[in-house]
Amino acid sequence: MSGPDPTAAETIPARVGVLGGGRMGAGIAHAFLLAGCQVVVVERDESAAAAAGERIRESLQRSVDRGSTEKGIAALEGALETSVDAAAFADAGLVIEAVPEDRALKIESLRRIEAVVPRTAVIASNTSSISIDDLAAALEHPERFLGLHFFNPVPASSLIEVVVGGSTNQELVDDARAWTEVLGKTPVVVADAPGFASSRLGVALALEAIRMLEEGIATAADIDAAMELGYRHPAGPLRTTDIVGLDVRLGIAEELHAKLGERFAPPQLLRDLVADGHLGRKTGRGFYEWSE
Ligand SMILES: NC(=O)c1ccc[n+]([C@@H]2O[C@H](COP(=O)([O-])OP(=O)(O)OC[C@H]3O[C@@H](n4cnc5c(N)ncnc54)[C@H](O)[C@@H]3O)[C@@H](O)[C@H]2O)c1
């Protein structure tokens, strides 16, 4: 395999915007900061902006402490800006939307971004499941839009799905592939289809595992061990669902159920756990008990 194209580093935008500095937005900001970009994160209010800045600074410090970057903490922090005003994207070359997985919110957010960025700027969404073509339809210039699907947690993950919409410019796909390599990650290029490649396969496996648990076929630990030991998955489908969030997976399953049919119908056990607030690691309980 050949390494990253040495000229790719020159094509990555000098200034990158991220809308929504939550779990994913903070990780995306961190990745572009380590790659040497100026990054501005726009949040919905001052306290969310402060929390996002804190989250990113902590993960930058961890990267410095671990020796995974040669850059100093002052330079990295100096390249980070937070704001509550999308006008801060005015001179960005790339803006990635990472607000919660809500179609109406994403459409409104993408329109807000397009209203302020330069005509040449690229706009991307980190959606896990919403159609890139549906989102592109909200934009005046859909050819500059694509999906950049980062994985959680971003610093530890080596994959980015580059999701190509029907209107996405092919040159942009080539650029996006090069940028992901500059970020130290491997791109997979997929056409816009429900669940792309990763969510569709990941959720299919998880839903079957949940149905097996529901049917009393094996314990959660044994179902996971079957995949971890038998197929060398680093984490089984139920543990992975706990880490991703049961609510996140239910949302994706509902979308895939609507688009691809009954095989993606969410099991009742998943609905019940979400309704009871057992969302996985983040709430301390999902298919497993999680402590600090
Ligand atoms: N969590 C995952 O495992 C994962 C993995 C891949 C992709 N995704 C996708 O990434 C996106 C974000 O997910 P997340 O897990 O980071 O969610 P999150 O809830 O942790 O973060 C969302 C952030 O968006 C902010 N926000 C909400 N409304 C806003 C607005 N109008 N303007 C600016 N900011 C706003 C929130 O304050 C929050 O900080 C979703 O589309 C999700 O499907 C999530």
Side-chain angles (χ1 to χ4, degrees):
M1 272 182 54
S2 58
D5 174 356
T7 60
E10 291 157 26
T11 73
I12 200 163
R15 186 168 162 88
V16 173
V18 179
L19 186 71
R23 197 159 18 152
M24 296 307 294
I28 293 167
H30 172 263
F32 281 97
L33 286 162
L34 289 193
C37 304
Q38 292 272 329
V39 174
V40 57
V41 177
V42 172
E43 260 289 352
R44 62 180 162 185
D45 57 38
E46 294 288 354
S47 90
E54 197 48 40
R55 205 172 294 126
I56 298 164
R57 280 188 287 275
E58 278 171 14
S59 65
L60 289 172
Q61 187 64 56
R62 276 196 297 275
S63 294
V64 170
D65 292 346
R66 261 194 232 115
S68 40
T69 174
E70 286 171 7
K71 297 184 174 68
I73 191 69
L76 289 165
E77 289 186 2
L80 171 67
E81 202 181 303
T82 56
S83 176
V84 293
D85 186 354
F89 295 145
D91 48 1
L94 164 67
V95 178
I96 301 171
E97 165 283 302
V99 299
E101 192 77 348
D102 172 306
R103 183 185 304 268
L105 175 63
K106 291 216 181 264
I107 286 176
E108 186 255 330
S109 299
L110 291 168
R111 288 193 174 132
R112 252 173 88 205
I113 294 168
E114 192 172 42
V116 293
V117 294
R119 174 66 193 84
T120 51
V122 174
I123 303 175
S125 173
N126 186 48
T127 179
S128 320
S129 65
I130 301 172
S131 159
I132 290 301
D133 285 338
D134 285 2
L135 295 177
L139 296 175
E140 268 178 50
H141 298 287
E143 69 282 357
R144 54 142 134 195
F145 178 66
L146 82 174
L148 285 180
H149 185 208
F150 289 74
F151 287 74
N152 181 34
V154 181
S157 144
S158 49
L159 177 65
I160 298 177
E161 264 182 319
V162 176
V163 187
V164 184
S167 317
T168 307
N169 187 329
Q170 182 55 44
E171 268 177 41
L172 172 52
V173 178
D174 296 338
D175 285 348
R177 201 195 286 267
W179 300 341
T180 63
E181 286 173 16
V182 177
L183 299 181
K185 312 212 184 275
T186 301
V188 295
V189 176
V190 296
D192 182 35
F196 317 133
S198 59
S199 297
R200 182 163 163 176
L201 279 173
V203 168
L205 188 60
L207 295 183
E208 204 53 40
I210 298 167
R211 282 190 279 265
M212 286 164 66
L213 188 64
E214 241 174 7
E215 291 165 18
I217 288 171
T219 62
D222 282 354
I223 291 169
D224 278 345
M227 300 313 289
E228 289 161 9
L229 304 177
Y231 287 84
R232 296 195 186 186
H233 288 199
L238 298 171
R239 194 178 308 282
T240 303
T241 300
D242 268 11
I243 293 167
V244 170
L246 273 65
D247 51 335
V248 173
R249 285 228 143 151
L250 176 59
I252 299 172
E254 281 172 337
E255 176 91 10
L256 294 179
H257 183 207
K259 298 261 174 63
L260 298 174
E262 281 311 300
R263 66 191 194 277
F264 284 100
Q268 193 57 44
L269 176 59
L270 179 60
R271 290 194 184 284
D272 290 347
L273 286 168
V274 171
D276 290 344
H278 300 313
L279 307 183
R281 186 168 64 178
K282 63 189 166 189
T283 60
R285 186 174 156 197
F287 297 105
Y288 295 90
E289 301 283 341
W290 296 82
S291 59
E292 281 301 309

